[in-house]
Amino acid sequence: MSDKDIWMLNQRPRRNRKNESLRLLLTETQLSVNDLVMPLFVIEGKKQSIKIPSMPGIEKMSVDLLCREVEDLFDLGIKAVALFPSISEHLKDKKATESKNPNGLLQKAVKAIKQKLPEMVVITDVAMDPYSSDGHDGFVKNGKILNDETLPILAEMALAQAKAGCDLVAPSDMMDGRVKYIRKVLDQNGFQDVGILSYAVKYASAFYGPFRDALGSAPKQGDKKTYQMNPANIREAVREVELDVKEGADIVMVKPGLPYLDVIRLVKEVVNIPVAAYNVSGEYAMIKAAAQKGWLDSQSTSLEMLLSIKRAGADIIFTYFAKETAEHFKHKSREVQKKKLL
Ligand code: PBG
């Protein structure tokens, strides 16, 4: 390039990145604490907490400790939690009977949180796997996961959770027709106001490994490929969300998050209800593991990852990084306040 050609350069994108204030002014996507849902694992007992080795920084907690944690989260600005129970082996059976126990672990947790902090949005997982002796999300017979036989079990589970006081039930099982079935049973029992956040597009992913360790919920035999989606497919995602919208879902979810940003984008374009994404346990674990080795910075990489999920189109993000991200935002806003006072 000659001197004259450089002078001709009238498009200079770098001008818009000149300083911090200008960069902030021109920021297209803003991640906020209002976007985040913190998943929490609940265990039996009192004053019990158990670290999850494959998820550094995350603990399973008994209901009393869980309530305190939920208060801390609310003080940090987090508006929603998603609860997952860790059920003892002796309570598991083929039909996930324990899931409809009004005094079961999850139901106790929902009641306790709602009593202490009614403003916190409580989302409960609807799937058989934490309660199933087969470790599958559906009812297993002769090695097959039966669809229609699973639906009433899921609906009874959702009903027990609604009775306990949850705001949203979140079917994560991927059985066909479950949104419609659950909606009908909730309505018949007077729970018109309990919403359905459907895991509409849930892939058969290896990224769920640490979660299954945490709950001891891995399938005893086989895999989940006859119900969870093939990671190669995206057009099928459109079919799944369209069905769930028709069946009455209030929010649809894509899961996992980071490896499926294209799917989140497409789903956002085809539905007009809110889209959630689940930044799953494996996505958390890989950043934490690299950070422990000093290979990545946990805070900046997690913020960038969450931002990318938001940019792809997610309105809300389930993430194990929710608490530390909220702490980071709080810290940052304090620093800004301090600067102003100087
Ligand atoms: C179970 C369920 C799973 C997750 C949420 N609900 C695991 C699975 O389908 O095997 C995974 C969440 C995570 O990995 O963080 N229905």
Side-chain angles (χ1 to χ4, degrees), residues 84 125 127 129 137 172 202 207-208 211-212 224 228 255 278 280-281 320:
F84 298 94
D125 194 69
D129 56 332
D137 295 18
S172 68
K202 180 173 176 182
F207 284 91
Y208 308 148
F211 176 98
R212 292 179 190 169
K224 298 191 173 186
Q228 298 181 348
K255 178 183 175 187
Y278 203 136
V280 301
S281 56
Y320 303 96

Side-chain angles (χ1 to χ4, degrees), residues 31-39 69-81 120 284 288 298-299 302-303 306 317 319-335:
L31 184 69
S32 129
V33 70
N34 293 335
D35 306 324
L36 306 177
V37 179
M38 181 74 187
E69 177 70 6
V70 171
E71 282 185 307
D72 287 353
L73 291 170
F74 198 74
D75 287 342
L76 285 166
I78 291 184
K79 312 289 184 303
V81 292
M120 182 61 103
Y284 178 83
K288 287 295 176 191
S298 172
Q299 185 170 85
S302 61
L303 281 170
L306 296 175
I317 306 170
T319 178
Y320 303 96
F321 286 108
K323 187 179 186 187
E324 52 185 81
T325 303
E327 280 166 345
H328 166 73
F329 285 151
K330 194 169 180 178
H331 186 72
K332 231 176 61 179
S333 74
R334 268 208 215 112
E335 282 194 341

Side-chain angles (χ1 to χ4, degrees), residues 38-67 69-70 82-89 92 105 109 130 209-218 284 320:
M38 181 74 187
L40 296 170
F41 299 109
V42 52
I43 52 174
E44 288 287 358
K46 279 213 169 88
K47 294 198 169 60
Q48 296 292 313
S49 71
I50 303 176
K51 290 193 167 72
I52 303 165
S54 51
M55 301 178 74
I58 303 293
E59 291 179 355
K60 305 191 261 191
M61 278 171 276
S62 54
V63 176
D64 50 343
L65 297 186
L66 191 80
C67 280
E69 177 70 6
V70 171
L83 303 182
F84 298 94
S86 176
I87 304 293
S88 7
E89 276 309 309
K92 297 184 183 180
L105 178 59
F211 176 98
R212 292 179 190 169
D213 287 348
L215 295 189
S217 64
Y284 178 83
Y320 303 96

Side-chain angles (χ1 to χ4, degrees), residues 25-27 96 102 117 130 149 167 195 205 219 231 245 255 267 273 288:
L25 194 69
L26 301 177
T27 296
L117 206 60
E149 288 75 358
D167 297 280
S205 172
V245 170
K255 178 183 175 187
V267 166
I273 61 174
K288 287 295 176 191

Side-chain angles (χ1 to χ4, degrees), residues 10-228:
N10 63 351
Q11 288 290 340
R12 289 181 183 270
R14 286 188 56 193
R15 271 198 287 264
N16 284 350
R17 302 176 206 137
K18 194 164 58 179
N19 60 44
E20 174 77 358
S21 298
L22 197 54
R23 286 194 295 274
L24 284 172
L25 194 69
L26 301 177
T27 296
E28 294 178 35
T29 306
Q30 207 98 39
L31 184 69
S32 129
V33 70
N34 293 335
D35 306 324
L36 306 177
V37 179
M38 181 74 187
L40 296 170
F41 299 109
V42 52
I43 52 174
E44 288 287 358
K46 279 213 169 88
K47 294 198 169 60
Q48 296 292 313
S49 71
I50 303 176
K51 290 193 167 72
I52 303 165
S54 51
M55 301 178 74
I58 303 293
E59 291 179 355
K60 305 191 261 191
M61 278 171 276
S62 54
V63 176
D64 50 343
L65 297 186
L66 191 80
C67 280
R68 248 192 267 160
E69 177 70 6
V70 171
E71 282 185 307
D72 287 353
L73 291 170
F74 198 74
D75 287 342
L76 285 166
I78 291 184
K79 312 289 184 303
V81 292
L83 303 182
F84 298 94
S86 176
I87 304 293
S88 7
E89 276 309 309
H90 79 275
L91 290 173
K92 297 184 183 180
D93 62 17
K94 284 195 76 68
K95 290 200 156 179
T97 313
E98 176 62 13
S99 67
K100 58 182 175 187
N101 178 357
N103 298 311
L105 178 59
L106 181 67
Q107 278 70 255
K108 277 194 294 197
V110 174
K111 277 184 241 172
I113 293 172
K114 277 294 179 185
Q115 201 177 7
K116 251 199 165 162
L117 206 60
E119 302 96 323
M120 182 61 103
V121 174
V122 174
I123 305 170
T124 48
D125 194 69
V126 180
M128 288 176 66
D129 56 332
Y131 304 96
S132 152
S133 45
D134 293 304
H136 274 288
D137 295 18
F139 177 62
V140 185
K141 197 171 175 188
N142 302 326
K144 275 199 167 161
I145 290 74
L146 302 183
N147 194 86
D148 298 9
E149 288 75 358
T150 301
L151 300 183
I153 300 174
L154 296 174
E156 281 191 73
M157 187 185 311
L159 184 58
Q161 296 168 355
K163 285 181 179 164
C166 73
D167 297 280
L168 290 159
V169 292
S172 68
D173 55 284
M174 290 297 280
M175 296 299 122
D176 294 333
R178 89 277 208 213
V179 172
K180 186 175 177 189
Y181 203 104
I182 291 171
R183 185 71 272 160
K184 195 174 121 199
V185 170
L186 289 179
D187 287 357
Q188 280 170 345
N189 286 275
F191 291 103
Q192 282 82 358
D193 288 344
V194 172
I196 299 181
L197 185 161
S198 111
Y199 287 60
V201 183
K202 180 173 176 182
Y203 288 94
S205 172
F207 284 91
Y208 308 148
F211 176 98
R212 292 179 190 169
D213 287 348
L215 295 189
S217 64
K220 300 275 163 25
Q221 248 166 13
D223 54 40
K224 298 191 173 186
K225 290 181 185 169
T226 67
Y227 46 106
Q228 298 181 348

